[in-house]
């Protein structure tokens, strides 16, 4: 019985939202309500997730397991942020400084590491993947894109050179669209599988 | 024909094709997809890592849903279900890393459903954080606590996925990726040898479980793609000829 109710709810909610995409004005209220319920449930799942996270970290600190020092720091930072968040409004200057002055430098440094990593990875791509049509095309197109992005080559408008430049600028978009079509169709089929009950991530396997 | 009508037609064709081929393949016949050596070697490495007592790590994405790629989270859960079904004796030999609470709940449900009596509440489920940066920081901290085996990256990731895979390779882990946005796939191409791109990503669950439903999904996806490409080529040809 539990399975059937879950299946009916999933299918009805999915079909209503799908129909709402096509009949936007007629079903706006209903889809809005369903989306709000969804957001509420996701929020609740988030709370349960946070509870699980806290439980795991406390257990790690309590048993003095490997990594417990990091867990203690994480827990302390979490508790302070939540505590401050309860008493101070989101616009409060001290609260924003407390959060953003830690978060932004950390994220920026990760982005810097990513840039260097990708640069090094591009240089050693032949070693990683060997001499293949894909790797050679990748390197050539990356090189051309880098040169073009310098903006040194600027042919006069409405000349064959300008048209060629336009073509070269568009080529990556063509490849991007090709990959996106594959991803979009794959996503569509996954969604339809859930709607047609061929896939049920919300229930126990039999 | 309006864009809305085109949308209806594509969705309708997908649904009809899924139902039809599911029915046909349930009776007889099967659809064979292109071989994926990366997947074969990933599964082999998972088995070897398990035998060596290493922890296989499954990363299910920094979030369940995103506006641009709404199905990636569900797909990751489908992959997790397939992997769990392949190795029912190896619950403690896995680390499941997820970015958000709802992914954690679904993952827990999947593993609980698969292992049933053998399920332990001590499942290595790491909840890292809902942004790509938080996921990276949280996962790296977890990764250092376990001897890395095969590491699979699935679901919603951006280019930070490349940094995760690079860190995994540095730790001696063996990375495999079938994840992410276009940015992630471009970045992962540089760092990860065993990688699925574009539509190949969505073939993955069917490679673990060859049920008629997955076979129907493969052929439906292929048929829709060929139809769309043919339409694009025809439209481009007509435009070049000045007809439209």
């Amino acid at each position: 019985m539990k399975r059937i109710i879950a299946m009916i709810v999933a299918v009805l909610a999915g079909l209503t939202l799908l129909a709402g995409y096509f009949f936007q004005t007629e079903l706006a209220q209903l889809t809005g309500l369903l989306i709000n319920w969804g957001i509420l449930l996701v929020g609740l799942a988030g709370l349960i997730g946070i509870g699980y996270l806290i439980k795991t970290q406390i257990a790690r600190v309590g048993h003095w397991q490997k990594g417990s020092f990091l867990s203690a720091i994480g827990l302390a930072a979490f508790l302070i942020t939540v505590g401050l968040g309860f008493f101070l409004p989101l616009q409060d200057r001290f609260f924003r400084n407390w959060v953003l002055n830690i978060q932004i430098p950390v994220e920026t440094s990760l982005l810097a590491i990513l840039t260097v990593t990708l640069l090094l990875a591009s240089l050693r791509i032949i070693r990683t993947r060997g001499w293949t049509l894909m790797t050679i095309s990748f390197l050539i197109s990356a090189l051309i894109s880098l040169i073009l992005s310098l903006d040194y080559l600027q042919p006069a408008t409405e000349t064959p050179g300008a048209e060629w430049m336009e073509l070269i600028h568009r080529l990556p978009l063509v490849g991007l669209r090709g990959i996106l079509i594959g991803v979009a169709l794959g996503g569509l089929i996954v969604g339809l599988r859930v709607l047609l009950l061929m896939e049920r991530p919300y229930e126990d396997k039999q | 024909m309006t864009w809305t009508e085109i949308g209806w037609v594509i969705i309708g064709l997908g649904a009809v094709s899924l139902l039809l081929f599911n029915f046909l393949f349930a009776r007889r016949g099967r659809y064979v997809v292109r071989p994926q050596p990366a997947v074969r070697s990933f599964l082999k490495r998972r088995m070897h890592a398990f035998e060596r007592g290493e922890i296989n790590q499954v990363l299910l994405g920094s979030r369940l849903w995103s506006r641009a790629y709404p199905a990636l989270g569900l797909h990751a859960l489908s992959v997790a279900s397939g992997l769990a079904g392949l190795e029912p004796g190896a619950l403690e030999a896995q680390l499941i890393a997820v970015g958000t609470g709802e992914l954690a709940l679904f993952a827990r449900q999947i593993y609980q459903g698969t292992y049933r009596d053998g399920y332990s509440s001590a499942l290595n489920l790491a909840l890292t954080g809902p942004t790509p940066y938080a996921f990276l920081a949280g996962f790296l901290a977890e990764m250092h606590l376990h001897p890395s085996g095969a590491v699979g990256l699935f679901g919603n990731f951006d280019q930070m996925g490349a940094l995760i895979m690079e860190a995994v390779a540095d730790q001696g882990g063996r990375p495999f990726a079938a994840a992410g946005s276009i940015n992630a796939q471009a970045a992962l191409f540089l760092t990860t040898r065993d990688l699925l791109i574009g539509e190949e990503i969505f073939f993955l669950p069917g490679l673990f479980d060859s049920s008629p439903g997955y076979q129907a999904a493969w052929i439906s996806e292929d048929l829709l793609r060929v139809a769309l490409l043919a339409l694009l080529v025809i439209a481009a040809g007509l435009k070049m000829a000045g007809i439209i």
Side-chain angles (χ1 to χ4, degrees), chain B residues 16-200:
Chain B
V16 170
S17 151
L18 262 178
L19 289 171
L20 177 72
F21 285 108
N22 188 37
F23 176 74
L24 290 177
F25 288 138
R27 287 167 170 256
R28 64 179 181 158
R30 52 176 292 143
Y31 184 65
V32 181
V33 287
R34 298 172 282 288
Q36 301 288 349
V39 177
R40 261 207 312 273
S41 89
F42 170 60
L43 293 177
K44 211 182 281 178
R45 285 197 309 251
R46 274 178 68 89
M47 195 54 75
H48 289 164
F50 175 55
E51 284 164 5
R52 281 196 297 264
E54 294 168 345
I55 302 286
N56 284 322
Q57 294 165 357
V58 180
L59 284 63
L60 297 181
S62 56
R63 54 198 162 146
L64 177 65
W65 191 86
S66 67
R67 201 173 178 81
Y69 304 94
L72 278 176
L74 278 177
H75 171 260
L77 292 171
S78 190
V79 172
S81 173
L83 283 174
L86 282 180
E87 298 149 5
L91 180 62
E92 276 80 23
Q94 298 193 53
L95 170 74
I96 319 297
V98 294
T100 56
E102 68 272 18
L103 261 177
L105 288 181
F106 274 128
R108 208 179 168 82
Q109 177 88 357
I110 284 170
Y111 282 89
Q112 202 162 5
T114 306
Y115 290 89
R116 289 186 171 268
D117 296 338
Y119 178 77
S120 152
S121 58
L123 166 71
N124 284 324
L125 183 65
L127 185 70
T128 52
T131 67
Y133 299 99
F135 192 100
L136 174 70
F139 175 70
L140 291 186
E142 279 295 326
M143 192 183 77
H144 291 295
L145 302 178
H146 310 278
S148 276
V151 180
L153 187 89
F154 312 101
N156 271 302
F157 281 99
D158 70 355
Q159 53 269 39
M160 279 293 160
L163 212 48
I164 294 174
M165 293 285 97
E166 190 73 6
V168 166
D170 279 349
Q171 279 282 305
R174 286 158 293 279
F176 166 82
S181 58
I182 293 291
N183 293 346
Q185 290 181 25
L188 283 165
F189 181 75
L190 293 172
T191 55
T192 311
R193 193 183 172 87
D194 289 334
L195 171 72
L196 299 186
I197 289 180
E199 77 276 4
E200 291 173 344

